[in-house]
Amino acid sequence: MSKTNKPGTLRRWWSVLRRPSAKYSILTLLVIGLFGGIIFWGGFNTAMEASNSLSFCISCHEMRDTVYQEYKETVHYQNRTGVRATCADCHVPRPWGYKLMRKIQASNELFHKVMGTVDTPEKFEAKRVELAKRVWASMRASNSRECRNCHGIEGMTEAAQTEMAWQAHEEIKETGETCIDCHQGIAHKDVSEFDE
């Protein structure tokens, strides 16, 4: 019989866990830690999901008065099928690790909100191309992952597209281009002519 399987080993471990550490037993501290962790994790995830809502995204006038107004005129907002893509669908990855990284990057946007970097329509327009280029670069780096959550080349039908669109979508299978290479102005003002 190995040392760890002796009959007294479990009793000794249980005794250590029940032994008081200052005021509480180690077992009590572990249980408190477990429940505290569950509550923290639930609150953290709830806050992350709340920050993905459309109402959260347009809660500042910079978004509500500019890009949101443009978005409302697009097929992503209103269409024949009634399926709406919100800000998070295009700008926040679904996989948890990527989502967390995006939320950390978004803290920089909150910093600039507080600092007033884009707090007027004029300041926003002056920064628009730079901001758009960052989003495009991110989408290229992820192979337009967020676009592909809803749109997949393999699910497209020739009959539902123009001949030119069908040919372009067939060609990207070979060229490795990604959605954002052709669809830069799909949900907001098209500033792609300024892309270098």
Side-chain angles (χ1 to χ4, degrees):
M1 190 179 277
S2 73
K3 275 184 159 182
T4 56
N5 290 335
K6 289 184 180 173
T9 304
L10 284 177
R11 274 186 246 137
R12 277 195 302 270
W13 276 106
W14 186 248
S15 172
V16 167
L17 288 175
R18 293 184 58 219
R19 190 175 307 137
S21 166
K23 189 173 182 182
Y24 300 102
S25 72
I26 294 173
L27 182 62
T28 302
L29 294 175
L30 288 173
V31 169
I32 290 170
L34 174 70
F35 284 111
I38 290 170
I39 290 168
F40 170 79
W41 188 254
F44 180 76
N45 276 315
T46 299
M48 268 200 5
E49 289 307 313
S51 68
N52 281 347
S53 69
L54 182 61
S55 58
F56 178 85
C57 293
I58 63 170
S59 62
C60 63
H61 72 88
E62 294 87 355
M63 293 294 110
R64 184 182 58 246
D65 298 341
T66 56
V67 293
Y68 178 63
Q69 297 307 316
E70 297 163 5
Y71 155 74
K72 288 191 327 185
E73 302 298 320
T74 71
V75 70
H76 282 113
Y77 182 79
Q78 192 169 11
N79 55 65
R80 63 182 167 75
T81 61
V83 177
R84 179 174 290 166
T86 63
C87 304
D89 292 321
C90 298
H91 295 282
V92 180
R94 288 184 183 169
W96 198 86
Y98 293 117
K99 182 187 297 188
L100 182 61
M101 291 304 298
R102 177 63 189 108
K103 294 299 181 174
I104 291 168
Q105 292 167 350
S107 64
N108 182 47
E109 295 162 15
L110 294 175
F111 169 76
H112 285 286
K113 162 75 174 153
V114 171
M115 298 306 293
T117 306
V118 291
D119 62 348
T120 67
E122 296 78 21
K123 287 180 183 178
F124 179 80
E125 285 302 324
K127 289 271 203 191
R128 182 187 278 267
V129 174
E130 177 188 337
L131 296 170
K133 284 181 179 181
R134 276 195 215 141
V135 172
W136 298 336
S138 172
M139 292 181 115
R140 282 185 187 108
S142 72
N143 193 22
S144 296
R145 175 184 49 235
E146 283 65 56
C147 300
R148 294 173 193 279
N149 285 334
C150 300
H151 306 280
I153 295 290
E154 58 283 340
M156 294 181 177
T157 60
E158 184 174 1
Q161 300 180 55
T162 65
E163 180 61 30
M164 187 173 90
W166 176 253
Q167 288 301 320
H169 289 135
E170 285 297 300
E171 287 174 18
I172 68 168
K173 292 177 184 177
E174 305 298 321
T175 64
E177 286 182 301
T178 187
C179 307
I180 201 64
D181 292 321
C182 298
H183 298 284
Q184 290 177 334
I186 197 74
H188 303 294
K189 181 178 170 182
D190 188 1
V191 293
S192 59
E193 69 237 31
F194 303 106
D195 189 21
E196 299 168 301

